[in-house]
Amino acid sequence: MSYMWDNFNIKPFPAETIVYRDGEYCADLSTLPNDTINKNYDLPVHIIYVGEIAGKCRLNIDVNVENQKVYLSVNIKNKKPAFLNIFIKNTGKNSEIRGHILLDNYDNLTYDCMARHLSANTGIFLQNKLIANKSSISKLSGVAIIDKNCPECDSNINFAAIAARDAKIEFLPAQRISSVPENAGHSASIYSPKPVQIEYLRAAGLGTLEIDQVMREAFMNDFSLF
């Protein structure tokens, strides 16, 4: 699966895999069925969702087994209007889901993520990044839900965007917390290069378009490690 790194900047590692490309489940690239994670695996589970999407797309992640690590890597672009919904349920005590979501929007994109904790000591951590290209419209929402009788959960959903000057972006973060969590974080920000960074790149001989590309790549690659 080295082409995942070459084409989508996703580095494979030893794991059970569930792979989607262009919104469709790929059985030939997956070691697990397109189904709920309801048993423990010696390796972590890596869910990969890549390619180009249009129209309505949905990804369900249901973890209902204890002590399981799940990683989510999303790298998609849309050149037509698209709606992507990611719905996560974690009912497995001491199980955690860590996700990196990269959205490259050229048109009109609505992204809706719901992360629901349904057991004590569950973790859901999602880093969402948006590249809002020229004249694009983006609406991103994310809600973390910690149910009653589910204490000591660890929840963090954050959004960051880099945008063309005429792009339109709307963030809608929310939390619904009914138990005392270990941690519950939520944030949204717009990335803007600092003047000193631009001056440094100009001094190195880069033109305006090259600087824009370097800053875009830096934004794309600046994910915290799993």
Side-chain angles (χ1 to χ4, degrees):
M1 292 175 62
S2 62
Y3 78 93
M4 287 292 180
W5 173 255
D6 296 335
N7 295 334
F8 302 106
N9 207 27
I10 293 174
K11 189 173 183 179
F13 52 88
E16 301 288 350
T17 56
I18 304 173
V19 180
Y20 298 82
R21 183 159 187 171
D22 300 332
E24 300 292 333
Y25 171 70
C26 299
D28 56 329
L29 298 177
S30 304
T31 63
L32 298 181
N34 179 16
D35 205 349
T36 301
I37 300 168
N38 55 15
K39 63 172 289 186
N40 279 114
Y41 298 96
D42 293 333
L43 295 173
V45 175
H46 191 189
I47 301 171
I48 301 172
Y49 194 98
V50 297
E52 189 169 327
I53 64 169
K56 293 184 178 181
C57 300
R58 182 178 177 92
L59 174 63
N60 292 322
I61 302 172
D62 188 356
V63 181
N64 59 17
V65 64
E66 296 183 1
N67 304 305
Q68 181 66 54
K69 289 187 178 295
V70 179
Y71 298 112
L72 170 65
S73 297
V74 176
N75 188 335
I76 61 100
K77 70 172 59 176
N78 69 295
K79 295 181 179 179
K80 297 179 180 179
F83 175 88
L84 175 61
N85 174 247
I86 297 179
F87 183 63
I88 297 172
K89 292 194 301 181
N90 190 351
T91 62
K93 187 176 181 180
N94 298 322
S95 289
E96 66 176 37
I97 301 169
R98 294 184 177 269
H100 293 166
I101 294 94
L102 180 63
L103 311 167
D104 194 2
N105 181 22
Y106 289 84
D107 196 282
N108 190 325
L109 174 66
T110 298
Y111 168 69
D112 182 26
C113 176
M114 178 178 289
R116 190 166 187 180
H117 300 258
L118 294 168
S119 180
N121 299 96
T122 53
I124 302 176
F125 312 91
L126 302 177
Q127 292 182 285
N128 302 279
K129 286 195 171 185
L130 168 71
I131 300 172
N133 294 283
K134 185 177 180 180
S135 302
S136 63
I137 300 172
S138 307
K139 183 176 181 180
L140 281 65
S141 62
V143 58
I145 301 173
I146 301 177
D147 277 20
K148 293 180 179 180
N149 303 316
C150 298
E152 300 181 354
C153 292
D154 207 341
S155 181
N156 194 306
I157 302 177
N158 62 66
F159 294 92
I162 186 170
R165 292 183 180 274
D166 62 349
K168 297 180 180 180
I169 303 173
E170 181 178 4
F171 292 122
L172 297 170
Q175 292 180 326
R176 302 175 191 169
I177 300 175
S178 301
S179 299
V180 178
E182 179 72 20
N183 176 68
H186 218 125
S187 64
S189 62
I190 301 293
Y191 173 80
S192 180
K194 298 177 180 178
V196 67
Q197 293 173 311
I198 295 175
E199 290 178 12
Y200 176 83
L201 293 172
R202 282 179 178 163
L206 275 65
T208 300
L209 293 178
E210 293 172 310
I211 291 172
D212 287 345
Q213 183 61 31
V214 167
M215 301 312 297
R216 174 186 170 117
E217 290 179 359
F219 174 79
M220 290 169 58
N221 294 326
D222 184 24
F223 278 116
S224 299
L225 294 175
F226 280 132

